[in-house]
Amino acid sequence: MNIKFLDLKAVNTQYRDELVSACERVIDSGWYIRGAESSKFEEEFAKYCGTKFAVGVANGLDGLALIFKAYLELGVMSVGDEVIVPANTYIATVLAISANGLKPVLVEPCSDTCLIDVSKIREKITDATRVIMPVHLYGQLCDMQAINSIAREYDLKVIEDSAQSHGARTLGGVRAGALGDASAFSFYPGKNLGALGDGGAVTTNNEELADVIRALGNYGGSVKYVNDYRGVNSRLDEIQAAMLRVKLRHLDSEITRRRHVAKRYLSEIKNDRVVLPQCLQDQSHVWHLFVVQCELREELVRHLEEKGIQTVIHYPIAPHNQEAYAGAFEGLNFPVTEALERSVLSLPISPVMSDKQIGGVVDAVNSYGE
């Protein structure tokens, strides 16, 4: 049996006719940047997330960076301000902070959920703290009720990194992207809502913030050749917006299938050498990734490879251990994060996995160590 980690061709082939039709619509329109498709997708995605505004950008990293840049332009933040962020996030989260002259303050995650340890946030707050940035890692929502409570107590902004959590909901039905002051999403092809190239969006209920982000992503202006800010070129193009409009219609059904895969893994994988992820609440997890932990990870990887099963490590090197941040976190220790970077392993999970493939992964993991 040969099981890919993620078969993107199979994922998109399901909707080939719709995608081709959408692409033809853009080609025939003669308008390829910030046209009808982008506007309609922004409206549809904002409605889906439950926010007043969505602004399409070039990618998820730009989305996060533009939120900070907009807050700086609005005087809400200043260079040197601190942003609390989980230590085990993908480096893009931290890059968005430092790129704006802000200071990332790393907080350890919980070892069972891999989400930021809310109990450790308060001890990191200083007079320079302006933002808490929870990352809904692997597709599971952080404890936003507790995080927002802390933010209100200290008058802090909450910026969600929702790059992996499209469609995740609280018990009250509030979706990722509507749980803070602003949120950024990635539409990288491998995401639950993936484009056929790069793409991203910012969601918010703050009209002024949305307007500034839109201008910043358009060279700093909302009127051609009039530049109010020192902006960048970060726009969601029409082709990708059209692709995303198609795939947004199928997102919830794909999440349902992902949950089916995860439910089988959670109930059928029974191997003391493999630690399964903890799901706090069904609707709060959309299973972008199914991440297990194994003390002898490389051994498990080789075993699964021999069985024809492809795995990926998300992420083998935490931001504070990257050369890009050499010296930036000197003297600080992150033992939980470092234990995770040595042990986490992502098993195949996608909406196109067959029950036979799911069973194949289960059997292979269960046979490890026999």
Side-chain angles (χ1 to χ4, degrees):
M1 182 176 287
N2 182 25
I3 302 175
K4 293 182 178 181
F5 176 73
L6 175 61
D7 190 343
L8 280 178
K9 181 178 179 180
V11 170
N12 290 316
T13 295
Q14 303 174 97
Y15 318 121
R16 188 179 189 282
D17 290 346
E18 292 177 77
L19 292 169
V20 169
S21 177
C23 188
E24 289 177 341
R25 190 169 64 239
V26 174
I27 293 170
D28 293 342
S29 75
W31 194 283
Y32 308 119
I33 297 289
R34 286 198 168 177
E37 296 296 333
S38 295
S39 294
K40 289 176 181 176
F41 173 71
E42 288 176 345
E43 292 174 9
E44 292 161 4
F45 191 62
K47 182 178 180 181
Y48 178 84
C49 293
T51 58
K52 293 179 181 178
F53 308 100
V55 181
V57 295
N59 53 68
L61 170 55
D62 280 4
L64 292 172
L66 286 170
I67 294 171
F68 288 120
K69 191 171 180 63
Y71 275 136
L72 287 165
E73 293 288 357
L74 290 168
V76 174
M77 302 183 71
S78 301
V79 170
D81 284 347
E82 296 177 353
V83 179
I84 290 175
V85 64
N88 63 320
T89 186
Y90 182 53
I91 196 170
T93 318
V94 182
L95 288 172
I97 299 168
S98 58
N100 281 285
L102 305 169
K103 181 183 178 181
V105 176
L106 306 183
V107 174
E108 287 269 62
C110 296
S111 59
D112 53 357
T113 64
C114 298
L115 301 177
I116 190 169
D117 188 339
V118 177
S119 70
K120 296 184 182 301
I121 291 178
R122 275 190 174 84
E123 65 191 51
K124 298 288 187 174
I125 296 174
T126 71
D127 290 342
T129 306
R130 295 293 177 271
V131 173
I132 303 174
M133 181 183 280
V135 179
H136 305 312
L137 201 63
Y138 309 149
Q140 180 163 215
L141 293 180
C142 298
D143 185 349
M144 294 305 296
Q145 185 173 354
I147 289 170
N148 280 317
S149 177
I150 295 171
R152 286 191 296 270
E153 181 181 344
Y154 291 90
D155 193 24
L156 306 176
K157 296 293 184 185
V158 174
I159 299 173
E160 299 172 80
D161 183 337
S162 300
Q164 300 183 5
S165 60
H166 321 66
R169 293 184 296 176
T170 66
L171 281 171
V174 183
R175 281 195 167 106
L179 293 163
D181 295 283
S183 178
F185 290 84
S186 167
F187 303 130
Y188 181 78
K191 303 299 186 185
N192 287 21
L193 179 59
L196 273 68
D198 269 323
V202 172
T203 55
T204 183
N205 288 318
N206 185 323
E207 184 174 11
E208 185 179 28
L209 181 67
D211 287 344
V212 174
I213 289 171
R214 190 180 301 281
L216 285 169
N218 190 46
Y219 299 99
S222 54
V223 177
K224 195 168 185 178
Y225 302 130
V226 178
N227 305 88
D228 301 309
Y229 312 102
R230 296 181 184 181
V232 297
N233 178 9
S234 182
R235 302 172 297 201
L236 179 65
D237 70 64
E238 286 292 279
I239 289 285
Q240 298 307 333
M243 302 295 102
L244 288 164
R245 291 186 68 205
V246 170
K247 297 189 72 177
L248 180 59
R249 295 196 290 268
H250 301 283
L251 178 57
D252 285 343
S253 63
E254 289 201 355
I255 289 172
T256 297
R257 183 63 187 177
R258 285 177 176 274
R259 286 177 175 148
H260 170 75
V261 178
K263 186 175 182 180
R264 284 199 57 188
Y265 283 170
L266 290 170
S267 63
E268 297 177 30
I269 292 177
K270 300 182 185 299
N271 189 324
D272 292 340
R273 299 186 180 201
V274 179
V275 178
L276 298 175
Q278 182 175 339
C279 178
L280 299 177
Q281 191 270 324
D282 285 348
Q283 296 302 306
S284 76
H285 208 321
V286 292
W287 297 104
H288 170 58
L289 298 172
F290 190 95
V291 181
V292 300
Q293 297 176 46
C294 181
E295 194 170 309
L296 300 175
R297 179 177 62 196
E298 300 310 317
E299 191 177 89
L300 175 59
V301 169
R302 287 194 296 271
H303 172 79
L304 294 177
E305 283 178 348
E306 290 169 0
K307 299 289 185 180
I309 295 167
Q310 184 182 34
T311 57
V312 177
I313 299 171
H314 296 90
Y315 302 96
I317 307 175
H320 73 278
N321 284 328
Q322 296 282 0
E323 184 62 27
Y325 285 101
F329 303 102
E330 196 169 349
L332 300 176
N333 297 309
F334 302 98
V336 177
T337 294
E338 293 181 1
L340 289 173
E341 74 177 356
R342 292 190 299 267
S343 64
V344 292
L345 183 67
S346 300
L347 301 181
I349 186 167
S350 85
V352 294
M353 285 185 72
S354 67
D355 284 342
K356 182 178 180 181
Q357 289 176 318
I358 300 168
V361 174
V362 169
D363 291 342
V365 175
N366 284 341
S367 68
Y368 165 62
E370 290 183 348

